[in-house]
Amino acid sequence: MTWFLLALAIITEVIATTALKYTEGFTRPVPSLITLLGYGISYFALSKVLGQIPTAIAYAIWSGAGIALVGIIGWVWLDQKLDAGALAGIGLII
């Protein structure tokens, strides 16, 4: 169950971060709601994980996977360009 919750925390954080781009300063209700719910679920799930996995390990997995997935979504879905510096930075974080 711990690893499921960590995966849930990662996925909902990635969804929230992706939706954040579309909130337009939290003036658009649907993306704003997705962002708030996503971050809320993510932090709740992560808080449950921290009872089973050391904080440093859980946070490293959560943040590293989130950064990589958001980078991929930005590249594939949002047509954002990732130059060598961006790829190197993401690689170093992971």
Side-chain angles (χ1 to χ4, degrees), residues 33-47:
L33 183 61
I34 292 168
T35 298
L36 294 172
L37 283 173
Y39 283 134
I41 293 167
S42 180
Y43 278 98
F44 177 78
L46 185 60
S47 74

Side-chain angles (χ1 to χ4, degrees), residues 4-65:
F4 169 78
L5 288 173
L6 183 56
L8 178 66
I10 292 166
I11 291 165
T12 53
E13 187 268 334
V14 169
I15 290 169
T17 300
T18 304
L20 185 61
K21 177 176 176 50
Y22 299 101
T23 65
E24 294 181 13
F26 287 97
T27 60
R28 296 184 62 209
V30 172
S32 298
L33 183 61
I34 292 168
T35 298
L36 294 172
L37 283 173
Y39 283 134
I41 293 167
S42 180
Y43 278 98
F44 177 78
L46 185 60
S47 74
K48 296 298 184 183
V49 168
L50 296 179
Q52 303 297 318
I53 299 174
T55 302
I57 302 299
Y59 188 73
I61 294 169
W62 178 74
S63 61

